[in-house]
Amino acid sequence: MKTTLFTDCEVSDRKDFEKAGIQLFQHCYDLLAAKGLRVVAFKAGHGRARLANLLSWQVDECLEYLDGDDLTTDQVVHFGLHQFAHHRLGSKHPHAVLFAETLASSADIYLLGKLAQAGMEPDFIHETLESFGFYYETYGDDAGHMEQLLSDLTTDPFGAMVTVGNYLFNFCTPLLYPASSDEPANILAVLQPHAYYPLVHHYNVTNWVLAIRAQFPEPMGSNPGLEAFRADVLQDETGFLQTIETASKES
């Protein structure tokens, strides 16, 4: 393994995203560059970086793990939104950490929609839709739910991102600090069928829950600053992009 600066890495598919006019990529890239993000590369990764990032989920260390020497654009956006949420909210509250992960993960929905609208088909689209297809086929309640998701994200990428992010956040929150050992099963048992439910398997959200529990063993009080921030930053696409651009200039 070797450690290097984020800016020393190539972004393998950036031209497709730039052709699609996805400003979010550049804002996240600038933010990571300003923060001095360091990356540790596994030469023959085989997914080790994904595991290492979950096991070392400390955003304030400004360190991420990679499989190989190159970054992909969706990784830049994911890492950048982690840092954006940390910049604005810190990482000292379980709900703030959960929000950072749901925001970074649901950004995939935004990227898919923007790429589809631009008629671009980088590997990211094919790989993500293949994974979606597997989980919708395995865990979906209705054959039309994946079509609904695809319609949502192509019609309004930002709105779909916000809706998916909120769904993942609300799904995970009651599982963070169960009252008893059987409480998680009871919570899951009464969940209503939802068009986005298979995404909790795609994103493996139980890893988020367990990592947050390990970092914050005891529940904490409410975080009104987080709710105000979520309502403000996720209100519209223009404001969202401007807020991230501002964060990159403040760093």
Side-chain angles (χ1 to χ4, degrees):
M1 295 189 299
K2 68 175 183 178
T3 304
T4 187
L5 284 173
F6 153 79
T7 48
D8 292 334
C9 299
E10 293 291 329
V11 183
S12 59
D13 54 353
R14 70 183 298 166
K15 289 184 179 179
D16 287 332
F17 285 71
E18 288 172 344
K19 287 180 181 177
I22 300 177
Q23 298 176 40
L24 179 60
F25 161 70
Q26 190 61 53
H27 294 335
C28 287
Y29 187 97
D30 292 343
L31 177 59
L32 293 175
K35 292 285 188 183
L37 178 73
R38 294 170 296 124
V39 295
V40 177
F42 290 91
K43 277 298 183 183
H46 303 295
R48 293 189 184 98
R50 184 171 182 270
L51 299 176
N53 281 324
L54 286 167
L55 293 168
S56 306
W57 197 4
Q58 299 291 336
V59 177
D60 50 354
E61 290 185 6
C62 214
L63 178 71
E64 300 282 356
Y65 293 87
L66 301 177
D67 285 321
D69 293 325
D70 292 347
L71 282 155
T72 58
T73 306
D74 61 292
Q75 285 178 310
V76 172
V77 170
H78 192 101
F79 298 159
L81 291 178
H82 273 175
Q83 289 297 327
F84 168 64
H86 175 71
H87 176 80
R88 293 297 302 270
L89 296 167
S91 300
K92 302 301 182 184
H93 193 286
H95 290 169
V97 176
L98 177 60
F99 171 71
E101 186 55 43
T102 57
L103 176 64
S105 296
S106 63
D108 289 351
I109 302 295
Y110 178 80
L111 299 178
L112 285 172
K114 287 292 187 180
L115 289 166
Q117 288 181 341
M120 308 298 294
E121 293 188 10
D123 289 345
F124 167 73
I125 279 193
H126 298 290
E127 292 167 359
T128 305
L129 291 183
E130 182 179 3
S131 179
F132 282 4
F134 171 78
Y135 288 110
Y136 268 87
E137 182 178 352
T138 305
Y139 299 112
D141 185 64
D142 186 309
H145 280 172
M146 183 166 172
E147 285 74 15
Q148 179 182 335
L149 171 66
L150 296 179
S151 175
D152 291 346
L153 66 87
T154 52
T155 301
D156 180 6
F158 181 77
M161 179 193 80
V162 171
T163 304
V164 168
N166 286 339
Y167 175 74
L168 296 174
F169 185 89
N170 293 333
F171 185 96
C172 293
T173 300
L175 299 173
L176 285 176
Y177 299 104
S180 62
S181 60
D182 59 354
E183 184 65 14
N186 294 335
I187 293 170
L188 295 172
V190 298
L191 283 175
Q192 296 297 314
H194 194 286
Y196 297 159
Y197 169 70
L199 296 178
V200 307
H201 295 280
H202 167 79
Y203 290 114
N204 204 1
V205 301
T206 51
N207 277 349
W208 307 349
V209 171
L210 295 176
I212 292 172
R213 282 189 203 167
Q215 189 175 350
F216 304 97
E218 299 295 330
M220 300 174 67
S222 62
N223 190 338
L226 167 63
E227 295 311 311
F229 177 72
R230 286 176 66 196
D232 179 46
V233 77
L234 298 178
Q235 186 172 10
D236 66 83
E237 182 177 4
T238 299
F240 174 69
L241 295 173
Q242 288 176 344
T243 305
I244 299 172
E245 183 180 20
T246 298
S248 71
K249 294 176 180 177
E250 292 173 346
S251 299

